[in-house]
Amino acid sequence: MNLSEMAARAKQASRSLRVLSNEVRNNVLRDFAWGLAEQADTIISENALDLKEAEENGMSKAMLDRLMLNRSRIDQIAEGILQVERLEDPLNRVLEERTIDSGIHLKKVTVPIGVIGIIFESRPNVTADCAALCFKSGNACVLKGGKESYRSSLAIVNVMKDALRKHGVSEDAVMLAEKPSHEETQKFMEDRNSVDLLIPRGGRNLIRAVVEHAKVPVIETGAGICHTYIDDTADLKIAEKIIINAKCSRPSVCNAMETLLVSSRIAEFFVPHIVSVLKEHNVQIYGDERACALAEGLYPGTEQNWATEYDDLILNLVIVDNVQQAISHIETFGTHHSECIVTEDIDNKNAFFAGIDSACLYHNASTRFTDGFEFGLGAEIGISTQKLHARGPMGLRELTSYAYHLEGKGEIR
Amino acid sequence: MNLSEMAARAKQASRSLRVLSNEVRNNVLRDFAWGLAEQADTIISENALDLKEAEENGMSKAMLDRLMLNRSRIDQIAEGILQVERLEDPLNRVLEERTIDSGIHLKKVTVPIGVIGIIFESRPNVTADCAALCFKSGNACVLKGGKESYRSSLAIVNVMKDALRKHGVSEDAVMLAEKPSHEETQKFMEDRNSVDLLIPRGGRNLIRAVVEHAKVPVIETGAGICHTYIDDTADLKIAEKIIINAKCSRPSVCNAMETLLVSSRIAEFFVPHIVSVLKEHNVQIYGDERACALAEGLYPGTEQNWATEYDDLILNLVIVDNVQQAISHIETFGTHHSECIVTEDIDNKNAFFAGIDSACLYHNASTRFTDGFEFGLGAEIGISTQKLHARGPMGLRELTSYAYHLEGKGEIR
């Protein structure tokens, strides 16, 4: 079946998903999770074939590790599905309710989006994750993962399809693309009749390619050039703790800090200190001219550095004269993801929050908290860096739309 | 100034709009409204030049009337702006607030979207309307209206710019495109750096062209193939009232009915009756085979008719066997705008509401109520027929996004 046929069948299935009760959806998800545990051996042996081929094709060790499934990882995946199952039903929530002037009773209620296309790279756990989140929110999904993980993903999707069939739900609710051609993928991204939303999950190039070629609405996720600004009134113990955490605790993720901005009023004593602490943590630093003059061993940075998401133990260090310069730097080079100000000055905090157009703004806390679980959403399908529909961590609620239900007694206008 | 420069300057202005108080925004809007009344003569004489040229170019009488401004129409426009001014501030609303597990205090607050591009056809009142709605919601806007109304729109925008200057706000907050070339417009619709949202307002071809060529997110508005289904249990007095209202009260608007579906159980006596009533209202009717067999003087309709938005005193009449067939017809031929079921059977009503994926679903009331003012939104920039961000009537709130504000005391993860 080609990708267009899959999308059309998913659209058909989405019509029946809208009317499923939360109970049926939960039963399917429980059987999905249990099925993964039961069929772990099959999944692991399919995964072994993927791994073998990837190794032969020269995949790096780090990437092979991301691709690898073992029993404990499968148990984790199953546990994640059960967590989604236990979340509050995001559908049929009444967002607003009132009698309008005409006498008609108006209710604004949450409904599924319809068909969600998710384009991601090679981690097979993303397959299970996305299938569970989309299904819990009443959406059909078409998943297009990396070719390297196709067998593993197919084994996982087959377990989901078993669970769907068992409960009388169309197995077209979850579709896995079968190594589609470039042309097929292009057509899919333009198919506004069948696909309601595209979510690219992965690196910047993947996201850029989807945004560039899609005609279906896209939610951009995950590009994170996050900043931390240390104001001259900052509590420097807090500042140091936050800097090390934001840069070093998990440098590969999108909520890690890429650029540290320091007020020129404290730079002379704070920069040499923080540079030496960062070096103890093996962080390589690109500084602007003033920073390089204040500490040893910094590489001279350029605007290209300020615009780079390293996802690694690399940091930009830039001196600014005040909060307005910090704001201006962030607005120029940031990706509207997460930014932090460390300050004891409420006016500077307010200026920072008002002046910066990012999804998440922190005062005296690490940007690493930008995460659906940390925010209490119970799940996360990605972190949106755009401003329509969903912003910041996207959980189940962000996978819904709404409709107006209007009850009358023969009202006319 | 070309359109790209306008967009870049609007982006710059949008940064200062974010921090304006509601009071300043309201003062600007009041001066905008008063200025329109004061400068009515100038606007009318500019409009006369537009009208003269349009007439020479052979514009139809109906279109000339839409283009024409006189003192009473200008007063109406000014009154509309004052209505927007009086609406509740859509910014800085706290949507959610809680302390998350880490101890950080989380607030989800509404913020402007940024720069909104609005592409519309020739009515100059749309210029004032969009400028006021965007400004009240803290957004800069770039307006691209019809060439035929350029002088009228410019005169209106100049009044707004006077009001902005008077209150120390950047006049780049409202930009009017100066008859841009096709290439300029294309570049504008791809300019994700400067433009955050595109709203096409106008006919189907305009909307399709924008969706086809934009890389900036688009909200589709206004395409309305609306249906009314008369169930076999309907109160037929209510049914008749709703049918005549939905078709005849204002056939040119998007919430007017285009297709009437009638249950086969009541068709034999109801169809001849309603056809004769509709004919008294000068409605031309395309029927399916069964309808044509039941009443005189129907034109035979095809699937192409079912998929046509007439915006005129023309109607499709289709017989269906039950609510499921009605749902299936609507899902196949509709535009997800507004649909109505007339029934006294609660199960059929529930099936209709659950089975149809439209922005507005009515039970025993005319689809003509789909409107921002009728819904109590206080204003309307369009009616969205898509499912992301905003659905149905879009008021001020739908012109905002949100951000997370997080207050910590040195929390790290």
Side-chain angles (χ1 to χ4, degrees):
Chain A
M1 202 186 320
N2 72 32
L3 203 41
S4 297
E5 286 161 4
M6 282 190 179
R9 285 174 69 159
K11 188 71 180 185
Q12 198 58 42
S14 77
R15 300 200 168 117
S16 62
L17 297 192
R18 274 207 299 270
V19 296
L20 286 185
S21 69
N22 188 40
E23 198 190 338
V24 171
R25 281 179 273 131
N26 285 348
N27 289 341
V28 169
L29 289 176
R30 274 200 302 276
D31 278 321
F32 181 24
W34 294 337
L36 287 178
E38 274 166 31
Q39 300 191 39
D41 290 342
T42 315
I43 296 167
I44 289 168
S45 67
E46 290 299 306
N47 181 247
L49 295 174
D50 277 339
L51 283 169
K52 186 159 169 278
E53 194 173 303
E55 209 173 351
E56 285 166 8
N57 291 334
M59 187 183 268
S60 72
K61 277 226 162 116
M63 291 297 285
L64 283 171
D65 181 64
R66 285 157 67 101
L67 177 54
M68 191 268 288
L69 292 174
N70 55 26
R71 188 159 275 276
S72 105
R73 287 192 179 176
I74 291 172
D75 285 347
Q76 269 174 34
I77 293 172
E79 179 47 42
I81 295 165
L82 292 176
Q83 272 178 31
V84 170
E85 183 265 333
R86 287 190 293 266
L87 291 174
E88 197 193 342
D89 185 6
L91 298 179
N92 306 307
R93 284 173 57 228
V94 178
L95 302 175
E96 291 174 29
E97 183 165 13
R98 61 181 173 271
T99 300
I100 59 179
D101 289 348
S102 52
I104 295 173
H105 189 77
L106 173 152
K107 254 202 230 178
K108 185 176 173 182
V109 297
T110 58
V111 300
I113 289 174
V115 175
I116 300 179
I118 301 178
I119 300 183
F120 57 100
E121 285 160 346
S122 69
R123 286 191 302 167
N125 60 318
V126 175
T127 307
D129 231 33
C130 292
L133 286 165
C134 288
F135 186 73
K136 173 82 179 185
S137 51
N139 296 293
C141 63
V142 180
L143 308 170
K144 186 195 163 306
K147 286 178 192 176
E148 315 76 36
S149 63
Y150 179 68
R151 293 187 193 87
S152 319
S153 290
L154 186 63
I156 290 170
V157 166
N158 282 339
V159 175
M160 177 71 180
K161 286 184 184 283
D162 287 345
L164 289 164
R165 263 194 308 270
K166 180 172 162 192
H167 294 280
V169 183
S170 165
E171 56 180 290
D172 296 342
V174 177
M175 289 286 189
L176 180 70
E178 213 178 317
K179 307 190 191 181
S181 67
H182 182 76
E183 290 67 33
E184 258 184 82
T185 305
Q186 177 60 36
K187 227 175 129 193
F188 174 70
M189 295 194 296
E190 294 178 358
D191 185 1
R192 295 175 69 94
N193 281 329
S194 296
V195 187
D196 294 288
L197 167 63
L198 278 178
I199 304 179
R201 281 184 60 156
R204 178 183 298 221
N205 291 337
L206 172 73
I207 294 171
R208 201 172 292 165
V210 172
V211 166
E212 188 64 27
H213 294 109
K215 300 214 187 303
V216 170
V218 176
I219 292 188
E220 289 176 70
T221 65
I225 299 181
C226 300
H227 299 75
T228 301
Y229 165 59
I230 312 301
D231 193 33
D232 57 336
T233 67
D235 177 328
L236 295 180
K237 269 190 220 131
I238 287 182
E240 180 176 330
K241 220 167 58 160
I242 287 175
I243 290 166
I244 300 305
N245 183 260
K247 181 69 256 178
C248 306
S249 61
R250 208 172 159 200
S252 66
V253 293
C254 63
N255 57 23
M257 168 174 61
E258 306 294 356
T259 298
L260 173 63
L261 302 164
V262 175
S263 161
S264 58
R265 295 199 189 181
I266 54 166
E268 210 166 323
F269 62 93
F270 187 66
V271 164
H273 169 70
I274 199 70
V275 164
S276 81
V277 179
L278 283 161
K279 286 198 169 168
E280 282 167 29
H281 286 82
N282 299 314
V283 178
Q284 180 183 328
I285 305 173
Y286 288 90
D288 71 347
E289 217 169 295
R290 289 197 277 180
C292 287
L294 289 170
E296 295 289 307
L298 269 56
Y299 298 88
T302 64
E303 294 203 343
Q304 208 180 322
N305 290 92
W306 316 158
T308 299
E309 184 175 359
Y310 298 115
D311 286 341
D312 204 343
L313 281 176
I314 308 174
L315 180 70
N316 299 313
L317 175 52
V318 173
I319 313 296
V320 293
D321 287 328
N322 49 45
V323 69
Q324 287 307 331
Q325 276 190 14
I327 292 169
S328 160
H329 179 101
I330 294 168
E331 288 285 285
T332 307
F333 298 106
T335 54
H336 312 293
H337 190 298
S338 299
E339 333 294 345
C340 164
I341 180 171
V342 183
T343 186
E344 297 297 309
D345 182 324
I346 192 77
D347 290 337
N348 284 354
K349 190 274 291 187
N350 287 339
F352 191 87
F353 275 30
I356 292 177
D357 191 22
S358 291
C360 303
L361 295 166
Y362 289 86
H363 176 213
N364 293 347
S366 167
T367 55
R368 290 276 293 106
F369 285 103
T370 298
D371 174 277
F373 294 93
E374 291 290 339
F375 276 23
L377 308 184
E380 179 186 294
I381 200 155
I383 293 174
S384 160
T385 54
Q386 56 160 47
K387 284 182 271 182
L388 291 183
H389 188 74
R391 210 170 183 205
M394 290 180 66
L396 279 179
R397 288 191 182 184
E398 286 74 25
L399 291 176
T400 66
S401 179
Y402 58 82
Y404 289 97
H405 289 179
L406 301 119
E407 293 275 357
K409 297 186 195 71
E411 284 80 356
I412 59 171
R413 184 179 171 195
Chain B
M1 203 188 318
N2 72 33
L3 203 41
S4 298
E5 285 162 3
M6 283 191 178
R9 286 174 67 159
K11 188 69 177 187
Q12 197 58 40
S14 76
R15 300 199 168 117
S16 62
L17 297 192
R18 273 207 300 268
V19 296
L20 287 185
S21 69
N22 188 39
E23 198 190 337
V24 171
R25 280 179 272 133
N26 285 348
N27 288 341
V28 169
L29 289 176
R30 275 201 300 276
D31 279 322
F32 180 24
W34 294 337
L36 287 178
E38 274 167 31
Q39 299 191 37
D41 291 341
T42 314
I43 296 168
I44 289 169
S45 66
E46 289 299 307
N47 182 246
L49 296 174
D50 277 340
L51 283 169
K52 186 162 169 276
E53 194 174 303
E55 209 175 350
E56 284 166 10
N57 291 334
M59 186 182 268
S60 72
K61 277 229 164 113
M63 289 298 282
L64 283 171
D65 181 63
R66 284 158 67 101
L67 178 53
M68 191 268 288
L69 291 174
N70 54 26
R71 188 159 275 276
S72 103
R73 286 193 179 175
I74 291 173
D75 286 347
Q76 268 175 34
I77 292 173
E79 180 46 45
I81 294 166
L82 292 176
Q83 273 179 30
V84 170
E85 184 264 334
R86 287 190 292 266
L87 290 174
E88 197 193 342
D89 185 6
L91 299 179
N92 305 305
R93 284 173 58 229
V94 178
L95 302 175
E96 290 174 29
E97 183 166 11
R98 61 182 174 271
T99 300
I100 57 179
D101 289 348
S102 51
I104 295 173
H105 189 77
L106 173 152
K107 254 202 228 180
K108 185 177 174 182
V109 298
T110 58
V111 299
I113 288 174
V115 175
I116 301 180
I118 302 178
I119 300 183
F120 58 100
E121 285 159 348
S122 69
R123 285 190 303 164
N125 60 317
V126 175
T127 308
D129 232 34
C130 292
L133 286 165
C134 288
F135 186 73
K136 174 81 180 186
S137 52
N139 295 293
C141 63
V142 179
L143 308 171
K144 186 194 164 308
K147 286 178 192 176
E148 315 75 39
S149 63
Y150 178 69
R151 293 186 193 88
S152 320
S153 290
L154 186 62
I156 291 169
V157 165
N158 281 339
V159 175
M160 177 70 179
K161 286 185 184 281
D162 287 344
L164 289 164
R165 263 195 307 271
K166 180 173 164 192
H167 294 279
V169 183
S170 165
E171 56 179 289
D172 296 343
V174 176
M175 289 286 190
L176 180 70
E178 211 178 318
K179 307 189 190 181
S181 68
H182 183 75
E183 290 68 31
E184 261 184 80
T185 305
Q186 176 61 35
K187 228 175 128 195
F188 174 71
M189 296 194 295
E190 292 178 358
D191 185 2
R192 294 174 69 93
N193 281 327
S194 296
V195 188
D196 294 288
L197 167 63
L198 278 178
I199 305 180
R201 280 184 59 158
R204 174 183 298 222
N205 290 337
L206 173 73
I207 294 170
R208 200 172 293 164
V210 172
V211 166
E212 189 64 27
H213 293 109
K215 300 214 187 303
V216 170
V218 177
I219 292 188
E220 288 177 69
T221 65
I225 299 180
C226 300
H227 299 76
T228 302
Y229 166 59
I230 313 300
D231 193 35
D232 58 335
T233 67
D235 176 328
L236 294 180
K237 269 191 219 130
I238 287 181
E240 181 177 330
K241 219 167 60 159
I242 287 175
I243 290 167
I244 300 305
N245 182 259
K247 182 68 256 179
C248 307
S249 61
R250 208 172 159 199
S252 66
V253 293
C254 65
N255 57 22
M257 167 175 61
E258 305 295 358
T259 298
L260 173 64
L261 304 164
V262 176
S263 162
S264 58
R265 296 203 191 175
I266 56 168
E268 210 166 324
F269 62 93
F270 186 67
V271 163
H273 169 71
I274 200 69
V275 163
S276 81
V277 179
L278 284 162
K279 287 200 168 167
E280 283 166 26
H281 285 82
N282 300 313
V283 178
Q284 180 183 327
I285 305 173
Y286 289 89
D288 71 348
E289 215 169 299
R290 288 197 277 179
C292 288
L294 289 170
E296 294 289 308
L298 269 53
Y299 298 88
T302 64
E303 293 202 344
Q304 206 180 323
N305 291 93
W306 317 157
T308 298
E309 184 176 359
Y310 298 116
D311 284 341
D312 204 343
L313 281 176
I314 307 173
L315 179 71
N316 299 314
L317 174 52
V318 173
I319 312 296
V320 293
D321 287 328
N322 50 43
V323 69
Q324 287 307 331
Q325 276 190 13
I327 292 169
S328 160
H329 180 101
I330 293 169
E331 289 284 286
T332 307
F333 297 105
T335 55
H336 312 293
H337 190 297
S338 299
E339 333 295 345
C340 164
I341 180 170
V342 183
T343 186
E344 298 297 310
D345 181 322
I346 193 77
D347 290 338
N348 285 354
K349 191 273 292 190
N350 288 339
F352 191 86
F353 276 30
I356 292 178
D357 190 20
S358 292
C360 304
L361 296 167
Y362 289 85
H363 176 213
N364 293 349
S366 167
T367 55
R368 290 276 293 104
F369 286 103
T370 299
D371 174 277
F373 294 92
E374 292 290 338
F375 276 22
L377 308 185
E380 181 186 291
I381 200 155
I383 293 173
S384 161
T385 53
Q386 56 161 45
K387 284 182 273 181
L388 291 183
H389 188 74
R391 209 171 183 206
M394 290 179 67
L396 280 178
R397 288 191 182 183
E398 288 73 25
L399 292 176
T400 66
S401 179
Y402 59 81
Y404 288 98
H405 289 179
L406 301 118
E407 293 275 357
K409 299 186 194 70
E411 284 81 356
I412 58 172
R413 186 177 169 196

